[in-house]
Amino acid sequence: MTSAPKIGVLALQGDVREHIRALEASGAEAIAVRRQEELDAVSALVIPGGESTTMWKLAAAFELLEPLRLRIKEGMPAYGSCAGMIMLADRIEGGIEGQQTLGGIDMVVRRNAFGRQVDSFEADLDFASRGPMRAVFIRAPWVESVGPDVEVLGRTEPGDRIVAVRQGPLLATSFHPELTGDARVHSYFVEMVREF
């Protein structure tokens, strides 16, 4: 049996416990990451939802912004959900002035594209050809465009908006799979981590 990969969940804000539970249900060892030494101890990272501008500012305040960028650039697998998708985007639309991301995925993401908190919704979609999945969208972004090396793994129906992508060891979704009890997205990510 292959040993469980050690995957961190960036614990600056967001659904940290829910992601840890989903990762553990998918066969990974999961820990909260708030400091450099915790980041150094993991082989992959989940960046949860939350508020992308706050997450960027907290990452800078905790002196994690540059270490995170470096690990991603060096090929560490990472999965971002909702605000985490924004953090993994090379370019964003609708951000505040000066807003920075970690980057890594050649895509343009629009912040709060589906509307405000009151516009949150659930929808069924096909994720990575794994069958219908209930997706929860909360102040969610969508992907405006992707580069040639980005694989589209999911779109909304109707509307045909890109809401799940992968580029190499990086995965991102507009929605929150940690809130549904369906661990297929996390299982897919754990498989990716084992590949890399």
Side-chain angles (χ1 to χ4, degrees):
M1 170 150 168
T2 316
S3 64
K6 192 169 187 177
I7 300 176
V9 178
L10 188 62
L12 303 178
Q13 65 166 179
D15 297 328
V16 177
R17 284 188 309 274
E18 292 84 350
H19 278 292
I20 286 174
R21 274 198 294 270
L23 288 167
E24 288 173 345
S26 302
E29 178 187 347
I31 66 162
V33 170
R34 289 181 196 85
R35 295 186 293 280
Q36 170 86 51
E37 55 269 23
E38 292 162 341
L39 178 62
D40 293 343
V42 299
S43 56
L45 186 73
V46 171
I47 305 166
E51 211 291 315
S52 61
T53 56
T54 303
M55 197 175 292
W56 150 56
K57 290 174 182 176
L58 286 171
F62 279 77
E63 298 181 348
L64 280 173
L65 200 59
E66 291 311 317
L68 285 166
R69 283 180 175 147
L70 183 61
R71 287 291 306 276
I72 288 167
K73 190 174 181 180
E74 290 173 343
M76 175 185 69
Y79 163 49
S81 68
C82 199
M85 170 184 261
I86 295 167
M87 293 297 288
L88 289 175
D90 282 349
R91 296 167 304 285
I92 55 174
E93 293 284 338
I96 66 167
E97 188 171 338
Q99 183 173 352
Q100 298 177 33
T101 68
L102 301 172
I105 300 180
D106 182 11
M107 62 179 173
V108 177
V109 170
R110 180 169 297 281
R111 276 181 79 237
N112 301 333
F114 286 106
R116 300 179 324 196
Q117 193 88 15
V118 295
D119 301 309
S120 300
F121 67 99
E122 294 184 25
D124 290 319
L125 56 87
D126 183 17
F127 170 79
S129 302
R130 292 183 175 219
M133 174 180 293
R134 195 73 175 160
V136 177
F137 295 86
I138 303 170
R139 287 183 62 205
W142 67 48
V143 179
E144 294 267 320
S145 62
V146 296
D149 297 326
V150 178
E151 180 184 2
V152 174
L153 299 178
R155 295 177 182 269
T156 58
E157 294 176 22
D160 204 36
R161 295 290 185 186
I162 299 170
V163 294
V165 295
R166 176 180 179 178
Q167 183 173 359
L170 303 177
L171 174 69
T173 64
S174 297
F175 52 92
H176 291 266
E178 75 281 5
L179 298 179
T180 64
D182 183 338
R184 281 181 288 173
V185 173
H186 291 83
S187 295
Y188 181 89
F189 180 59
V190 171
E191 288 169 22
M192 284 175 53
V193 174
R194 291 187 196 281
E195 281 174 35
F196 285 92

